[in-house]
Amino acid sequence: MTGSSRSSSASSKRCACGDEVVIYTAGRRAKNPGKRFRRCPNWKDVNRSCGLFEWVDDDYSFTDLSGGGVSSDAAELLVETYKMKNSKLQIKLEIERKTSSVMKKLLLMSWVFFLLCAYGVC
């Protein structure tokens, strides 16, 4: 990834190659500047790389690298986050439905006006 920097090694996590996974930070010119990700240290060598790539900062990445599960606090936070996102999406959906209904009515009215003008009624 262009402009990424190597920040640290995740010593408890190994990729399929058997090497320690490295945490990088995407550079300023990257698609996701400042975002951290894990990658196989052999990613430049197509013959040796296992292809491991995963974002570190995703909403759902609350798992402990040492193999532990998701903490209950993190799980509750995740549930609340998704509930809020769901509510926002429901509101957006309702707005889109209303907008669509208005647009259909305007289209119908424009056709009626067009036909009236085409037959010289206007």
Side-chain angles (χ1 to χ4, degrees):
M1 181 171 262
T2 305
S4 62
S5 64
R6 186 178 188 158
S7 64
S8 67
S9 173
S11 59
S12 62
K13 182 153 175 123
R14 295 192 175 272
C15 64
C17 301
D19 295 327
E20 290 182 1
V21 173
V22 179
I23 297 176
Y24 295 89
T25 302
R28 288 181 299 178
R29 292 182 290 155
K31 205 174 190 181
N32 297 300
K35 196 161 181 183
R36 297 181 319 138
F37 58 94
R38 290 182 196 92
R39 176 175 263 176
C40 170
N42 303 315
W43 68 276
K44 288 184 181 179
D45 184 353
V46 178
N47 296 324
R48 289 187 57 211
S49 177
C50 64
L52 174 75
F53 177 93
E54 61 187 15
W55 292 109
V56 174
D57 300 325
D58 281 338
D59 289 342
Y60 52 83
S61 81
F62 289 104
T63 54
D64 181 2
L65 286 178
S66 63
V70 176
S71 72
S72 61
D73 291 339
E76 288 175 25
L77 178 62
L78 185 62
V79 168
E80 287 303 314
T81 301
Y82 283 118
K83 282 182 181 178
M84 288 174 46
K85 286 181 179 180
N86 186 36
S87 295
K88 282 179 161 180
L89 289 173
Q90 290 293 333
I91 291 168
K92 284 183 178 181
L93 179 61
E94 188 60 32
I95 290 169
E96 289 296 323
R97 283 182 178 152
K98 288 180 180 180
T99 303
S100 174
S101 174
V102 169
M103 295 301 282
K104 287 177 185 175
K105 289 175 184 173
L106 286 173
L107 179 63
L108 179 63
M109 288 172 37
S110 70
W111 275 101
V112 169
F113 182 72
F114 171 76
L115 291 174
L116 288 174
C117 290
Y119 288 107
V121 179
C122 299

